[in-house]
């Protein structure tokens, strides 16, 4: 047994004693891992809209952790493409920094 500060719980386990199994309604990990729920069985998953079709993005500079990856995923998922460098084919520049004077609107 342990001593806990107010607001801090102590959990103890005894070897050979089974702990109760949480009910599905109280278990946050008890949900289905199936792609479609039983209600959606047989219905196709609708395709994502192609908001960025015919758009080419250049991600300029550094982004907070995970944000650059998420932006790349969004662009590709919604039909856009990414440019490795800024060239004439780029239609949109995305940055998390103040605008760079070297980037001018053409």
């Amino acid at each position: 047994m342990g001593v806990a500060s107010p607001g801090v719980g102590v959990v103890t386990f005894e070897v050979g004693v089974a702990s109760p199994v949480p009910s599905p309604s109280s278990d946050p990990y008890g949900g289905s891992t199936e792609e479609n729920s039983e209600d959606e069985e047989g219905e196709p998953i609708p395709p994502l809209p192609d908001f960025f079709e015919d758009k080419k993005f250049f991600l300029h500079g550094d982004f907070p952790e995970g944000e650059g990856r998420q932006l790349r995923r969004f662009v590709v998922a919604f039909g856009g493409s990414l440019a490795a460098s800024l060239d004439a084919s780029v239609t949109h520049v995305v940055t998390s920094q103040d605008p760079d004077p070297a980037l001018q609107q053409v």
Side-chain angles (χ1 to χ4, degrees):
M1 188 84 185
V3 178
S5 302
V8 176
V10 174
V11 178
T12 59
F13 296 96
E14 294 180 36
V15 176
V17 177
S19 61
V21 176
S23 69
S25 62
S26 67
D27 184 4
Y29 302 104
S32 171
T33 57
E34 297 298 319
E35 190 171 295
N36 294 331
S37 70
E38 292 174 13
D39 297 336
E40 299 171 341
E41 195 72 32
E43 293 181 25
I45 297 173
L48 292 172
D50 55 356
F51 295 127
F52 299 147
E53 185 176 12
D54 300 325
K55 310 277 187 302
K56 192 166 191 177
F57 293 81
F58 174 64
L59 304 182
H60 177 69
D62 296 323
F63 291 90
E65 185 177 330
E67 193 172 288
R69 180 175 181 264
Q70 188 174 26
L71 285 168
R72 288 188 295 277
R73 289 175 57 115
F74 284 148
V75 168
V76 172
F78 291 107
S81 61
L82 294 163
S85 61
L86 187 57
D87 59 32
S89 68
V90 172
T91 59
H92 295 76
V93 175
V94 180
T95 185
S96 66
Q97 303 164 349
D98 290 332
D100 187 337
L103 300 175
Q104 298 178 9
Q105 185 173 357
V106 179

